[in-house]
Amino acid sequence: PYFPDITARWREQLTREFALDARTLATLEQLTIASACIHFKHADFEGFFEMLNYFGTRLSKLQLDTRILRRALEIYENLMHPYVSSLFGDRETEALAALEMVSSFSFVIISGAYFDTRTLESSSLLKILDVELGDQPLESMLQQVLEILTSSFGANVGAILLHEPEADLLRVEAAVGLGEGLRGEFSMQMGKGFAGHVFSTGEPDMIIDANKDPRVIHPRLRETAKALWGMPLRHDGRPIGVMLI
């Protein structure tokens, strides 16, 4: 019952110290003891570990300094101390030790996921640069880049579609997990499907359930993908295609 008050004070103090944006603050909030207790209440330790790893990866994408993460956990822990004293009485020392252990353990797991993501990103970038510097046809280069990215993201499917101005179509030029016959053969009209939507808007987008979203029009993609990320590809500020993972 005390968590809403603690969290509100935690948000105020963290905002004063670091002036974090709303998205980063919301991500950090998922890593507090309050969120951990939801998993502990149901003995869902596997879910707790998955949560720490997921948000560690997300904080890496947000480029948050891990020292801020450490401070965020420390502030929440300190704000809980008065409540621990009133709740546990003679066992206050044990409770505070357990609280500190959970915070420290969380920091280690999150930091591990954070730096693993950074390492993977650097490794993927170097591999892509090696492909770009190679002397090979465009189709082969696109295929290799897509394979690197799907492997880096742990994705089971992916596709790169390029715009053909003469026919005003998006044609698949590279594919992973969708069958060999798709490359160079499958195309769609502009504005159709998820890829057409991303190309037309020029903005990245995401589909949570590819099996149910009507924008996923290719049957193989609908059957294979659980979720989809769509990213417009640009050259000199002009859209030239779409990448799906």
Side-chain angles (χ1 to χ4, degrees):
Y2 303 112
F3 282 135
D5 178 59
I6 296 171
T7 301
R9 293 165 58 197
W10 171 84
R11 290 176 68 95
E12 290 175 3
Q13 184 170 342
L14 204 59
T15 300
R16 283 198 308 270
E17 292 189 18
F18 300 107
L20 300 174
D21 62 83
R23 183 172 57 170
T24 301
L25 195 60
T27 301
L28 286 171
E29 188 173 333
Q30 297 300 316
L31 301 170
T32 63
I33 295 295
S35 295
C37 284
I38 297 174
H39 293 277
F40 295 161
K41 184 171 64 175
H42 300 286
D44 182 18
F45 299 106
E46 182 178 352
F48 175 62
F49 297 143
E50 288 180 359
M51 178 191 71
L52 294 179
N53 277 287
Y54 171 78
F55 284 106
T57 300
R58 187 167 178 180
L59 288 175
S60 177
K61 300 293 185 183
L62 293 172
Q63 299 183 349
L64 181 79
D65 192 316
T66 52
R67 288 172 293 186
I68 297 178
L69 167 63
R70 174 70 265 182
R71 178 59 178 154
L73 294 173
E74 180 183 39
I75 291 172
Y76 207 97
E77 182 182 338
N78 290 339
L79 289 171
M80 286 190 65
H81 282 189
Y83 299 94
V84 170
S85 301
S86 63
L87 286 171
F88 291 93
D90 294 339
R91 301 187 62 188
E92 175 187 354
T93 302
E94 297 175 36
L96 290 175
L99 183 63
E100 182 178 354
M101 182 183 68
V102 171
S103 291
S104 298
F105 176 80
S106 296
F107 180 73
V108 170
I109 298 297
I110 296 165
S111 296
Y114 180 102
F115 289 111
D116 283 349
T117 301
R118 286 292 181 89
T119 301
L120 184 60
E121 288 175 346
S122 299
S123 175
S124 299
L125 180 58
L126 289 174
K127 290 178 182 178
I128 290 173
L129 289 174
D130 284 342
V131 171
E132 290 181 344
L133 292 173
D135 183 16
Q136 56 187 316
L138 176 62
E139 293 79 6
S140 177
M141 184 184 74
L142 291 175
Q143 183 64 32
Q144 290 184 55
V145 167
L146 184 63
E147 289 172 0
I148 291 169
L149 291 174
T150 51
S151 175
S152 298
F153 283 103
N156 61 342
V157 296
I160 293 178
L161 301 90
L162 296 184
H163 181 222
E164 294 186 357
E166 296 81 6
D168 203 24
L169 297 172
L170 284 171
R171 187 176 300 278
V172 176
E173 298 296 346
V176 170
L178 296 172
E180 289 295 325
L182 201 64
R183 287 179 58 186
E185 298 297 328
F186 181 76
S187 62
M188 65 179 65
Q189 295 180 342
M190 296 303 301
K192 299 292 185 181
F194 182 52
H197 167 75
V198 172
F199 184 88
S200 298
T201 62
E203 298 291 336
D205 201 352
M206 182 176 184
I207 287 179
I208 302 298
D209 190 342
N211 188 49
K212 296 180 180 179
D213 198 298
R215 292 176 296 175
V216 183
I217 59 178
H218 192 275
R220 176 69 173 169
L221 191 60
R222 183 184 294 275
E223 293 169 3
T224 309
K226 293 182 179 179
L228 275 177
W229 293 344
M231 177 68 66
L233 304 176
R234 301 178 184 276
H235 178 66
D236 290 336
R238 180 177 56 87
I240 59 170
V242 174
M243 180 172 64
L244 304 178
I245 291 179

